Amino acid sequence: MSNRLKLLCDLSKFYDINNIALTEQITRGSNNGELIRYIHWQTEELQLAAIECSYTFIKHIKNPTSKAQIAAINIAPIAIKYIKHPTEYAQVKAVSANKKCIKYIKNPSLAIQLIIANNKPTYIKYIKNPKLEVQLKAIDTDINTIMVIREPNVDVIEYTINIDRSIIKYITFDHLTDEELLQLKLTTM
């Protein structure tokens, strides 16, 4: 048994669930780390012990420290989906290791969005309202990305059409105002 798990067991002696001491529960098998949800005083050592059992137990940690977040992501980048408020560093680690993790980040920063635009531009579809700069970078990386951008900016559409007019048939225009459509028609003729 690791030192972290021993610490978790020692501290848990003060808690009792269904007349079975947490210590016994925690030491019984691979699911023992999830019992951290019953411990109100969740030190970083306790958090790391639970994550050592399974990265998914981070979802039971009330406010995981940055170190705990990184520990879970180092085990499996997909752990980002269980973290309610991931640090930017945790987001960068997760997306750098597995680009598809962008799906689980609610409001990715510009830096995170640019990682996607530079490396896996079609995953821009998982970003709600990607910034103009990100849309343009994604198009520069792969022009076909225009097909997966939800509601592309009119400037992005214009930029894409100016690169390759044949792609116009794959672009959605439903979200554009009449003024934007007119602007687009005038600038791309």
Side-chain angles (χ1 to χ4, degrees), residues 123-167:
Y123 285 0
I124 198 171
K125 65 186 172 190
Y126 299 120
I127 301 172
K128 186 177 180 180
N129 302 318
K131 299 189 185 323
L132 173 63
E133 179 181 348
V134 173
Q135 292 181 39
L136 290 169
K137 183 61 187 162
I139 297 301
D140 282 341
T141 306
D142 179 359
I143 196 165
N144 294 317
T145 302
I146 193 68
M147 294 184 260
V148 297
I149 298 175
R150 286 184 261 157
E151 300 185 357
N153 180 289
V154 68
D155 296 330
V156 173
I157 294 172
E158 181 181 332
Y159 180 72
T160 306
I161 292 171
N162 286 332
I163 294 171
D164 182 358
R165 293 188 73 69
S166 68
I167 202 137

Side-chain angles (χ1 to χ4, degrees), residues 58-125:
I58 196 155
K59 66 185 167 192
H60 300 302
I61 298 173
K62 291 172 185 80
N63 293 308
T65 65
S66 179
K67 191 173 180 180
Q69 291 179 26
I70 298 306
I73 288 166
N74 283 339
I75 295 168
I78 199 78
I80 195 82
K81 80 178 186 178
Y82 300 114
I83 303 171
K84 286 183 181 135
H85 304 289
T87 64
E88 178 146 358
Y89 182 63
Q91 293 175 36
V92 168
K93 283 283 271 184
V95 170
S96 295
N98 181 346
K99 306 302 178 261
K100 210 164 196 171
C101 288
I102 192 68
K103 289 183 359 177
Y104 306 109
I105 300 174
K106 286 186 175 73
N107 295 309
S109 69
L110 177 60
I112 305 297
Q113 291 183 34
L114 285 171
I115 290 171
I116 295 302
N118 284 316
N119 298 289
K120 198 70 170 168
T122 56
Y123 285 0
I124 198 171
K125 65 186 172 190

Side-chain angles (χ1 to χ4, degrees), residues 20-31:
I20 300 174
L22 262 180
T23 305
E24 292 176 43
Q25 290 289 318
I26 290 170
T27 56
R28 268 198 196 151
S30 63
N31 291 332

Side-chain angles (χ1 to χ4, degrees), residues 1 6 44 51 120 172:
M1 181 185 316
K6 285 179 188 172
E44 187 171 82
I51 291 164
K120 198 70 170 168
T172 59

